[in-house]
Amino acid sequence: MTGVKELAYVVYEASSLADWEHFAVELLGMQPADKSAGAIAFRTDEKAYRWLVQQGPADDLAASGYEVESDAALDEIAARLAEAGVAAEEGDAALAASRKVERILVTADPMGNRLELVTGFADAETPFRSDVLLGGFVTGSGGAGHQVLLSKGVARETYLAFYEGLLGFRISDTIVEELAPGAVADLIFLRCNPRHHSVAFGDMPHPKRTHHFMVEVTDIRDVGTAYDRCMDAGQPFEMTLGMHPNDHMFSFYVQTPSGFSLEYGWGGLLVDDETWQVETLDRLHSWGHRPPEVVAGLLSGKDAH
């Protein structure tokens, strides 16, 4: 079945563009692209942008842009959406130009997240350059990275019918872990290319539409130097350095200026569709990824002795 091929870009609404520019460029190593009074775009590779941050009060995800292979593929997806009774509208030339794509089809998933299905996502006119990275970001056929969204009480079979049945995503695995008595983290991970997952969904209490976005770097040293930059800048962390058991990502989680998190990682697993086996795992982290307050408490207890 023809489906989406990558997570091409994300659009966020943020209350402070200045804080986002500092965070994305100086701490993460992205490159600023187009900038206006109401929006700023950031690059992580040869594409015109990967992140678009627009001025607004929501401080949350505004849209996810998924690229498909061709106009014919987009037409096929549009037909499937129509047959399933899912509203979708072809975007006009102005919207396509603002997103730097040739065509754009706008729809929404069962949680109400805006999806923009696009063709012809433009390259930038100049090579990507970061002032702080030793290597670069991992994109290419894997797209911009991955995001974890909140299912907001929508039944799993409902959103899987949309992402798997209509858009062509494939399940990589699930993780179910009891974090505390009566508190269970239940996540499912979906891919549309060799990257282990481009999107995952979790049924857990969280005020935002998005829990985090992950960017991956090519040089493990860049994880460490970014960790230090965030620490030196006083940027709040969600989780310390650690590793996941499913995608093998070595990473840390830091809070964005909008309150959701950014996972900064290295070494993510690539899936071979011919050999991959879907599993259910019982833990979110192989090691590390501890909340900073837990680490502080441990250190305080050690100092007390």
Side-chain angles (χ1 to χ4, degrees):
M1 180 177 69
T2 300
V4 303
K5 69 173 187 176
E6 68 172 69
L7 176 57
Y9 61 83
V10 281
V11 183
Y12 296 111
E13 186 177 299
S15 55
S16 175
L17 296 184
D19 287 346
W20 263 96
E21 184 171 13
H22 168 73
F23 177 74
V25 177
E26 296 182 33
L27 302 187
L28 305 185
M30 296 183 182
Q31 178 182 352
D34 296 340
K35 183 179 180 180
S36 67
I40 182 168
F42 301 104
R43 294 177 56 192
T44 60
D45 61 5
E46 78 284 353
K47 290 298 181 182
Y49 70 98
R50 290 294 192 174
W51 289 33
L52 177 61
V53 182
Q54 300 175 331
Q55 184 75 50
D59 279 313
D60 206 346
L61 178 69
S64 302
Y66 287 99
E67 188 169 16
V68 301
E69 291 183 355
S70 63
D71 286 340
L74 187 58
D75 290 339
E76 183 178 325
I77 293 173
R80 288 202 298 269
L81 292 171
E83 185 177 356
V86 178
E89 181 177 303
E90 186 92 16
D92 61 19
L95 179 60
S98 70
R99 297 292 198 255
K100 300 187 184 299
V101 299
E102 294 176 0
R103 282 183 64 192
I104 181 168
L105 183 72
V106 181
T107 187
D109 71 11
M111 283 70 71
N113 298 305
R114 176 184 171 108
L115 269 64
E116 299 176 354
L117 307 174
V118 305
T119 62
F121 186 34
D123 289 339
E125 295 180 354
T126 58
F128 171 74
R129 184 179 67 85
S130 172
D131 290 335
V132 298
L133 291 185
L134 298 169
F137 290 100
V138 178
T139 56
S141 62
H146 77 235
Q147 57 183 344
V148 174
L149 307 181
L150 284 301
S151 57
K152 300 294 184 182
V154 175
R156 179 167 289 178
E157 57 267 25
T158 299
Y159 64 74
L160 283 183
F162 179 85
Y163 278 92
E164 190 178 17
L166 300 179
L167 300 187
F169 281 78
R170 300 169 304 279
I171 297 172
S172 292
D173 45 44
T174 60
I175 297 180
V176 181
E177 179 182 3
E178 185 176 21
L179 303 176
V184 176
D186 187 355
L187 292 94
I188 187 165
F189 301 82
L190 307 175
R191 69 184 186 278
C192 57
N193 54 55
R195 190 186 289 277
H196 176 273
H197 59 285
S198 290
V199 66
F201 296 95
D203 186 10
M204 49 191 172
H206 196 274
K208 307 287 186 180
R209 290 182 177 275
T210 181
H211 177 270
H212 73 265
F213 191 97
M214 187 284 305
V215 293
E216 184 178 359
V217 289
T218 61
D219 192 320
I220 192 173
R221 295 175 297 174
D222 279 320
V223 177
T225 55
Y227 193 80
D228 281 352
R229 289 194 299 272
C230 290
M231 188 180 300
D232 292 343
Q235 197 71 24
F237 286 86
E238 182 186 2
M239 287 185 279
T240 60
L241 290 165
M243 183 174 285
H244 293 296
N246 58 345
D247 69 352
H248 300 177
M249 191 71 70
F250 168 67
S251 64
F252 67 89
Y253 289 70
V254 64
Q255 289 186 17
T256 70
S258 290
F260 57 88
S261 291
L262 181 287
E263 181 184 6
Y264 204 94
W266 172 87
L269 180 72
L270 298 178
V271 170
D272 181 350
D273 282 330
E274 297 299 319
T275 60
W276 185 255
Q277 297 292 318
V278 177
E279 295 181 325
T280 297
L281 295 87
D282 62 0
R283 53 181 176 163
L284 294 168
H285 316 290
S286 300
W287 60 270
H289 283 161
R290 299 189 180 193
E293 59 270 21
V294 171
V295 176
L298 292 171
L299 293 175
S300 176
K302 183 177 180 180
D303 291 344
H305 296 286

